[in-house]
Amino acid sequence: MKKCVACGMPMKEPQDFALGDTRKAYCRYCVNEDGSMRSFEEKKADLERLLIRTQGISQGRAAIAVRSLMKELPAWQNYFRE
Ligand SMILES: [Zn+2]
């Protein structure tokens, strides 16, 4: 099973993929309206907002959690190179 390279979500059905295109490596939550993948900064902000909303944690804690999540995902490896 494929996983989204940008957020780690499992993609099982065509509608889980960006634009319903199963050749895409990223999911429908990680795509812009023009079909491109959301940028590092956009995705980071998306995920922080999601965590704050769903887990009720502070901005600071969300930022730390999102950093460690994104560090494990193939799409963002360049951003974490020392
Ligand atoms: Zn995704």
Side-chain angles (χ1 to χ4, degrees):
M1 184 178 51
K2 271 175 123 175
K3 274 188 183 176
C4 173
V5 295
C7 75
M9 186 183 92
M11 301 189 291
K12 294 179 210 134
E13 308 296 335
Q15 64 264 27
D16 296 334
F17 289 78
L19 310 177
D21 180 351
T22 56
R23 291 166 303 178
K24 290 260 194 285
Y26 45 98
C27 77
R28 64 197 173 108
Y29 299 109
C30 298
V31 67
N32 291 311
E33 280 177 23
D34 68 358
S36 63
M37 195 177 81
R38 290 175 76 69
S39 72
F40 181 76
E41 290 302 329
E42 287 169 334
K43 202 58 213 172
K44 189 157 139 317
D46 284 353
L47 290 168
E48 285 175 10
R49 272 198 301 273
L50 181 75
L51 278 187
I52 291 165
R53 199 180 68 228
T54 58
Q55 313 213 1
I57 60 176
S58 68
Q59 169 78 45
R61 289 195 52 195
I64 294 167
V66 168
R67 243 190 108 71
S68 63
L69 171 73
M70 291 178 86
K71 207 171 176 173
E72 303 302 320
L73 295 164
W76 317 118
Q77 290 307 301
N78 284 343
Y79 293 88
F80 293 101
R81 263 201 202 117
E82 306 278 313

